[in-house]
Amino acid sequence: MASGNGTAAPAIMDPVVTPTSRVLVGRDAELAELCSLLGVRASGQRRTTSAVLLGGDAGVGKTRLLTELRDLAFTEGWQVVAGHCLDFGDSALPYLPFTEILGRLATDHPDAVAEVSAAHPALARLQPGRRVLGGELTGEPASGALDRTELFEALHALLTAVSRTAPLLVVVEDAHWADRSTRDVLSFLFSRPLERVALVVSYRADDLHRRHPLRRQVAEWARLRDVGRVQLGPLPERAVRDLVAELAPELPEDRLRAVTADVVARAEGNAFFVEELVGAATSCGGTTDLPVDLADVLLVRLDRLDDTARHVVRAASAAGRRVGHDMLRATAGLDDAALDAGLRGAVDLNVLVADRGAYAFRHALLAEAVYDDLLPGERVRLHAAYAAALSAGSAPGTAAELARHARAAMDLDTALQASVRAGREAALVGGPDEAAQHLQQALELLADPSRRADPDGLDVSKLAVEAGDALNAAGHPARAAALVGEQLDRLGPDAPAAVRARLLSARASYLYVVDTEEDILALSQQAVDLLPEDAGGLRARVLAAHARILAGCERYDEARAAGLEALALAERLDLQALASEATTTVAGLKNAPVDRVRAALADAVAQAEAVGALNAELRGRFLLARSFQDAGEWDEAVTWLRSAVDRARAGRVPWAPYGFEARWQWSWIEMVRGDWETAGRLTDTTGELPPPLSAAMLGSIAVAMAHARGEDVARPLRELRRSWPLEGAVAIGSAGVEILASAEPLVVHDAAVAVLSRLWHPLFSARVRLAATTIGALADRADSLEAGRREEVLAAVGRLLADGHRVLEHQDDWGPEGRAWATRLEAEAMRARWLLGADVDQETLVASWRAAVSAYDGLGHVLETARCRVVLATVLRAAGDTAGSRESADLARATAQRLGLAPMLEQLRALGSTPARTPPGGSEPAADLTPREREILVLVAQGRSNGEIGKQLFISTKTVSVHVSNILAKLGAAGRTEAAAIARRRGLLP
């Protein structure tokens, strides 16, 4: 095992299963602390201790950390040797880890072992060959008891002798299984100086129950001056997420997010549990059940309990992770003395932990394992006891607990009433996910024919809309629409008009905030038509929703009429939140001067905040922000967007419509104006569980920054493409990146346009942006095109330009961003035609790119401004304006350096590698080409490859490559296409 002799270091933990993860995740701080305490690094640091006690629960990662310490020590020139304590119960072999250590040292340092054994004969008694059956004991008296003091001194002398050649790291693992003699040896070594020897002793902290012999020993060791202590806690959540991603790299993004959330919640930072749960989730159909092997490991703890303690633990498992004392007393079926005795046994052996009048399982997975081990009949009886105790008030509890226990006890009537109450309570305290879960369970129970009685006064349509509203607030509007759609499908032809109208209006409202091919205006109108004018609050709600949808369809006069009618009804019925909704809609109508709209929206926000109408408030703040954003007034837009995000978080609805959209738009603005640190924080959902579409929308911004920085974005782009049909914003954002990253940009463009045309309209405004981006990508690849494809690409450029022109003719009102992309479309088309050999006026080309730079600079779009400046620098240099080219390139370079845009920096390096030098007279430099170079230049301009040129001129491809490089240098061109353009302008081509 020792590795100071230059041989490769074997695995330090041979008897232990190799960790699944080969990368140390989340333990850098602990590794650094160990190295600092022991002085392992070769940086000249002095060690502060000669020994370290490393504690932590089983599976938390002690072995993995020690393996990393071993590897690091080995690279720093240390020798490493390890011994392991094993669980032999009462038959433990004394000094077992030191027998293992001695055997390894005898192999690697036979001379040192022989020398010490000669001076200390007792050492020979620990050699592995002498301790197995059949081992030789010849020459020793039958009564020859081992002198402990002599043995301890011998081990000390041996470690000292071995350390003379190189520092020695000694690891003793699993000291919670150590016998008394091993503990005594460690006490001896801890109290004696060891100059070039470092000891690390690991143990399971969760095994050190109150009667465990190592518990007192560890406390005594920790008081010694040269003994340090490192406690390995659970992995932090971010590290668990990183570990899951490293263990399951092939999982699709949405599945990975779900698995990660499940593992984070259940593994509680235990690396072994993480690996087991990930293994179960990625095999056997992706089940989330507790793996059998892991359950067996966890249930071993119950074998140490007596019957009473085991009964208490099994009763507690039906409550979940934690149970109160009063609840356990009411359900365990034991008198107080027996209950206390059972609890004492469970706590002493670290199965349960006492905590403020309640008891919790030491680990959530242990609670799962115990519960899964119950027989079906046991579970029903225990849950019935819990439900009875909650219903009778024998112990405090919540409606959610009662619903869970009643359902598991098959008391469906009680479960229904409790689920409805739990859902409404969760909605009132800002828990939309929990509210949706309980209310959906209530709907399922309502449809269950095994219930004994129908509940009084429970309207299924109202309950469905409550559940839909909760899903919508949790960021799942599509699921909300599907839920009420299912209830609509169940309605019979004689269903009351009010019921049908309620469900139709709710479905239209949910679909309004997602992209769908369904005619939501028709749904909403149908709901309005079903209700008479005296329908009261329901008509007010339906009209308010209808006004909002009409406004989104730009039917402002009709929206105002519906909104004002809804407002009048709501005020008459004192429905303040609904009145705020209608007020916000009317205030935000865009058929009034922008200043008046903003003032009206600000008043609506104040009114909504005053009456606690959070949905109306969020919508008002978002609409105000969008008014400033459309005008390119970033600071004012961010102020309102940030306020919407903060209010949504405070209301515990961060993924609700308008609250989440505010975060998305805010991150987009910060990306645009170059504050990528803030944009990165806003798009980072680590530690959160966003709805899939919300994650995709934020991901479409994150992937744009990642691609610009040169990161590999192939996988996130594949994942994002799956969301295109569900959310057009994702398609626009990620398609723009995929067009730039793809070898077939036209194919990506056409796919995105097809999806967006179905979702919106064939002449959607973002089509200009997609066309400009695609033409730019084609222009970037013009240099590598074969001659036969140039006409084909020119035709594609013409088609994309014509598409953009049709959109521009169709749209009347273009903001700063739209005008910038329209300018870019013309500039990219001109550049592509120029690079593909078409006749393009040089001055017009330069002017078009100056206009593009000006448009994006005025907009404040930092990335696109820099990209346009790179192109401008290129065309200026081709036009002979070296100073202007350098100025434009320097401005782009400053942005690229600040944002870390590696590909752009590489472009600029290539651009500056062969600058075109203008002589004092101002004329273009003469191209001093040889006859052979002129001959090759003609073929280059025709689009021939080096291989084709070589075949035609009967020279090697390598020789052609050398000539082409010389031609580019003499013409001051960055590529073959630019060289052809320069040659044409200077009259160098026939």
Side-chain angles (χ1 to χ4, degrees):
M1 182 63 200
S3 53
N5 56 4
T7 59
I12 186 173
M13 313 303 167
D14 288 344
V16 182
V17 176
T18 303
T20 303
S21 172
R22 297 184 179 181
V23 179
L24 185 69
V25 176
R27 296 300 187 195
D28 292 340
E30 291 88 345
L31 179 61
E33 184 179 6
L34 280 175
C35 292
S36 175
L37 289 170
L38 299 172
V40 168
R41 302 249 184 216
S43 57
Q45 68 178 26
R46 297 178 61 85
R47 71 180 185 179
T48 57
T49 63
S50 60
V52 170
L53 303 173
L54 177 64
D57 288 359
V60 80
K62 299 183 297 298
T63 295
R64 184 68 187 86
L65 178 63
L66 289 174
T67 301
E68 197 74 16
L69 176 66
R70 181 280 314 270
D71 292 343
L72 193 148
F74 176 65
T75 61
E76 297 290 353
W78 284 59
Q79 305 173 93
V80 185
V81 66
H84 302 79
C85 304
L86 300 178
D87 185 13
F88 287 136
D90 296 333
S91 303
L93 189 64
Y95 309 110
L96 179 60
F98 291 99
T99 294
E100 183 180 358
I101 289 171
L102 178 59
R104 299 189 181 198
L105 290 179
T107 300
D108 293 320
H109 297 275
D111 294 340
V113 172
E115 178 184 343
V116 174
S117 296
H120 300 275
L123 188 64
R125 294 288 297 272
L126 290 188
Q127 290 183 5
R130 309 286 293 277
R131 310 198 73 188
V132 298
L133 292 176
E136 294 291 335
L137 294 176
T138 307
E140 298 184 19
S143 61
L146 189 61
D147 187 323
R148 287 164 53 86
T149 302
E150 181 184 355
L151 177 61
F152 294 177
E153 293 287 357
L155 287 170
H156 184 276
L158 177 61
L159 298 180
T160 302
V162 172
S163 70
R164 293 191 185 105
T165 59
L168 176 64
L169 174 65
V170 178
V171 177
V172 175
E173 276 215 272
D174 297 326
H176 51 281
W177 288 326
D179 60 278
R180 173 62 183 271
S181 298
T182 296
R183 297 197 298 271
D184 289 345
V185 172
L186 290 172
S187 295
F188 180 86
L189 294 176
F190 288 158
S191 61
R192 296 295 187 277
L194 287 166
E195 293 298 329
R196 290 165 57 84
V197 178
L199 287 89
V200 179
V201 177
S202 73
Y203 62 92
R204 291 182 183 173
D206 50 338
D207 271 8
L208 300 193
H209 53 78
R210 294 182 181 181
R211 298 190 301 274
H212 197 290
L214 189 64
R215 184 168 181 159
R216 178 178 57 83
Q217 194 84 68
V218 166
E220 293 176 357
W221 288 340
R223 289 196 291 268
L224 297 175
R225 185 184 62 182
D226 288 333
V227 177
R229 193 170 181 179
V230 174
Q231 193 68 23
L232 207 59
L235 287 168
E237 181 176 324
R238 179 179 290 272
V240 173
R241 292 177 177 276
D242 291 342
L243 181 56
V244 174
E246 196 260 325
L247 292 170
E250 300 304 320
L251 280 182
E253 193 67 30
D254 53 349
R255 176 64 179 151
L256 179 61
R257 281 197 299 270
V259 169
T260 300
D262 179 66
V263 172
V264 166
R266 298 169 71 194
E268 295 184 323
N270 186 293
F272 172 67
F273 295 168
V274 170
E275 292 181 349
E276 290 293 318
L277 291 173
V278 171
T282 54
S283 60
C284 303
T287 177
T288 59
D289 293 341
L290 193 65
V292 174
D293 291 344
L294 178 55
D296 290 343
V297 170
L298 292 166
L299 290 174
V300 166
R301 291 185 173 277
L302 265 65
D303 295 340
R304 306 173 185 173
L305 302 177
D306 61 27
D307 290 342
T308 303
R310 192 177 296 114
H311 173 80
V312 170
V313 169
R314 292 168 74 84
S317 72
R321 173 73 185 277
R322 180 185 174 90
V323 61
H325 184 85
D326 291 341
M327 179 64 76
L328 200 53
R329 181 172 55 188
T331 55
L334 298 172
D335 59 43
D336 286 348
L339 177 63
D340 289 344
L343 286 168
R344 171 61 62 189
V347 169
D348 282 350
L349 289 177
N350 274 337
V351 174
L352 296 179
V353 178
D355 180 28
R356 293 172 295 177
Y359 302 93
F361 281 86
R362 186 173 181 87
H363 198 286
L365 289 183
L366 178 57
E368 281 189 49
V370 175
Y371 182 76
D372 289 347
D373 196 49
L374 296 175
L375 295 173
E378 288 181 284
R379 293 182 191 173
V380 171
R381 287 193 296 274
L382 282 171
H383 284 297
Y386 276 102
L390 288 167
S391 297
S394 303
T398 65
E401 290 177 279
L402 176 58
R404 170 176 171 262
H405 289 301
R407 191 168 187 175
M410 305 306 294
D411 183 357
L412 302 188
D413 295 306
T414 301
L416 171 60
Q417 297 290 353
S419 294
V420 173
R421 180 177 175 180
R424 290 172 177 170
E425 288 178 352
L428 286 174
V429 298
D433 288 288
E434 295 80 3
Q437 179 182 353
H438 291 304
L439 294 172
Q440 287 180 98
Q441 287 178 350
L443 287 170
E444 292 174 7
L445 289 167
L446 273 171
D448 193 326
S450 59
R451 284 186 301 104
R452 290 187 295 273
D454 288 327
D456 294 330
L458 194 59
D459 187 322
V460 178
S461 68
K462 290 182 179 180
L463 189 62
V465 173
E466 284 186 69
D469 287 347
L471 282 169
N472 193 44
H476 302 286
R479 286 173 52 192
L483 183 146
V484 295
E486 183 180 350
Q487 296 299 322
L488 273 168
D489 293 340
R490 291 180 179 178
L491 292 180
D494 56 346
V499 168
R500 190 177 298 278
R502 179 181 292 113
L503 294 174
L504 283 169
S505 178
R507 179 170 169 80
S509 295
Y510 304 144
L511 290 175
Y512 173 69
V513 296
V514 299
D515 288 325
T516 177
E517 298 179 43
E518 195 163 348
D519 189 346
I520 59 173
L521 185 56
L523 286 177
S524 183
Q525 185 65 58
Q526 186 181 352
V528 172
D529 294 343
L530 282 169
L531 294 175
E533 292 187 3
D534 60 352
L538 177 58
R539 181 170 174 83
R541 172 188 279 268
V542 169
L543 280 170
H546 190 54
R548 187 165 63 249
I549 293 169
L550 284 166
C553 297
E554 300 182 359
R555 295 168 64 165
Y556 299 128
D557 292 340
E558 296 172 72
R560 179 177 295 278
L564 290 176
E565 184 181 349
L567 178 59
L569 268 173
E571 288 178 340
R572 189 171 76 240
L573 297 170
D574 196 26
L575 302 174
Q576 295 181 349
L578 193 56
S580 288
E581 287 282 353
T583 299
T584 301
T585 299
V586 174
L589 295 176
K590 294 182 179 180
N591 57 347
V594 66
D595 290 342
R596 189 188 304 171
V597 170
R598 290 174 180 174
L601 281 172
D603 290 342
V605 167
Q607 175 186 330
E609 189 172 9
V611 301
L614 182 59
N615 291 338
E617 180 190 345
L618 292 177
R619 186 158 59 94
R621 292 180 185 276
F622 179 77
L623 292 175
L624 257 172
R626 289 289 291 152
S627 172
F628 288 108
Q629 184 177 347
D630 289 343
E633 299 174 43
W634 303 130
D635 291 340
E636 293 83 356
V638 164
T639 297
W640 285 103
L641 291 171
R642 181 188 290 114
S643 73
V645 171
D646 291 343
R647 293 290 294 133
R649 286 173 174 166
R652 297 183 61 191
V653 287
W655 309 111
Y658 305 107
F660 164 71
E661 278 80 359
R663 172 176 173 175
W664 172 57
Q665 293 289 351
W666 180 12
S667 63
W668 181 85
I669 289 176
E670 300 299 5
M671 186 271 289
V672 164
R673 65 181 185 176
D675 186 355
W676 285 18
E677 182 179 352
T678 300
R681 288 199 302 270
L682 289 168
T683 57
D684 183 5
T685 58
T686 301
E688 303 176 87
L689 188 59
L693 276 183
S694 299
M697 291 169 72
L698 293 174
S700 67
I701 296 173
V703 79
M705 295 186 290
H707 175 260
R709 285 172 166 160
E711 299 174 22
D712 182 7
V713 294
R715 175 171 176 169
L717 285 175
R718 285 196 303 271
E719 296 294 336
L720 288 170
R721 190 184 267 243
R722 295 162 59 185
S723 298
W724 285 11
L726 305 175
E727 177 53 63
V730 177
I732 293 172
S734 66
V737 178
E738 191 173 342
I739 285 167
L740 296 174
S742 173
E744 295 290 342
L746 196 59
V747 174
V748 179
H749 168 275
D750 291 347
V753 167
V755 169
L756 291 166
S757 296
R758 289 195 301 272
L759 289 177
W760 297 337
H761 185 278
L763 296 180
F764 61 92
S765 59
R767 192 163 181 173
V768 174
R769 171 182 168 182
L770 294 177
T773 304
T774 306
I775 294 174
L778 293 173
D780 290 340
R781 291 157 178 76
D783 187 54
S784 60
L785 281 177
E786 298 176 0
R789 287 204 61 199
R790 290 175 183 269
E791 291 301 323
E792 175 189 341
V793 174
L794 274 171
V797 170
R799 171 171 70 85
L800 293 169
L801 182 61
D803 290 344
H805 285 164
R806 281 196 297 274
V807 175
L808 291 168
E809 293 167 1
H810 176 74
Q811 298 283 347
D812 296 327
D813 186 19
W814 287 85
E817 185 189 3
R819 291 193 295 271
W821 281 108
T823 304
R824 178 76 165 275
L825 176 68
E826 302 297 331
E828 290 288 15
M830 199 171 299
R831 177 171 74 108
R833 294 177 62 243
W834 173 59
L835 291 174
L836 290 166
D839 187 16
V840 173
D841 180 71
Q842 194 81 30
E843 291 184 5
T844 305
L845 176 65
V846 171
S848 71
W849 280 99
R850 287 193 188 280
V853 169
S854 177
Y856 285 109
D857 195 27
L859 176 65
H861 200 314
V862 173
L863 176 60
E864 296 302 338
T865 301
R867 284 173 169 166
C868 289
R869 280 178 170 148
V870 173
V871 179
L872 177 60
T874 303
V875 298
L876 283 172
R877 192 181 65 171
D881 186 355
T882 308
S885 173
R886 185 176 296 111
E887 179 184 1
S888 184
D890 287 345
L891 290 170
R893 185 177 293 106
T895 298
Q897 289 173 340
R898 180 171 67 85
L899 298 181
L901 312 180
M904 184 177 292
L905 289 171
E906 185 60 36
Q907 280 182 287
L908 292 166
R909 276 192 290 270
L911 179 65
S913 62
T914 55
R917 302 183 180 277
T918 304
S923 61
E924 290 184 327
D928 186 18
L929 301 179
T930 66
R932 173 63 85 178
E933 288 169 350
R934 288 178 179 272
E935 189 177 18
I936 291 174
L937 177 58
V938 171
L939 298 174
V940 167
Q942 294 174 0
R944 305 291 181 85
S945 68
N946 286 355
E948 292 171 336
I949 294 172
K951 290 179 181 178
Q952 183 167 340
L953 300 181
F954 301 100
I955 57 178
S956 69
T957 302
K958 183 176 181 181
T959 300
V960 175
S961 178
V962 172
H963 283 305
V964 171
S965 296
N966 291 337
I967 292 169
L968 297 181
K970 290 179 180 181
L971 293 178
R976 299 161 71 95
T977 304
E978 187 182 349
I982 293 171
R984 287 191 184 93
R985 189 178 63 248
R986 298 186 189 177
L988 299 176
L989 297 175

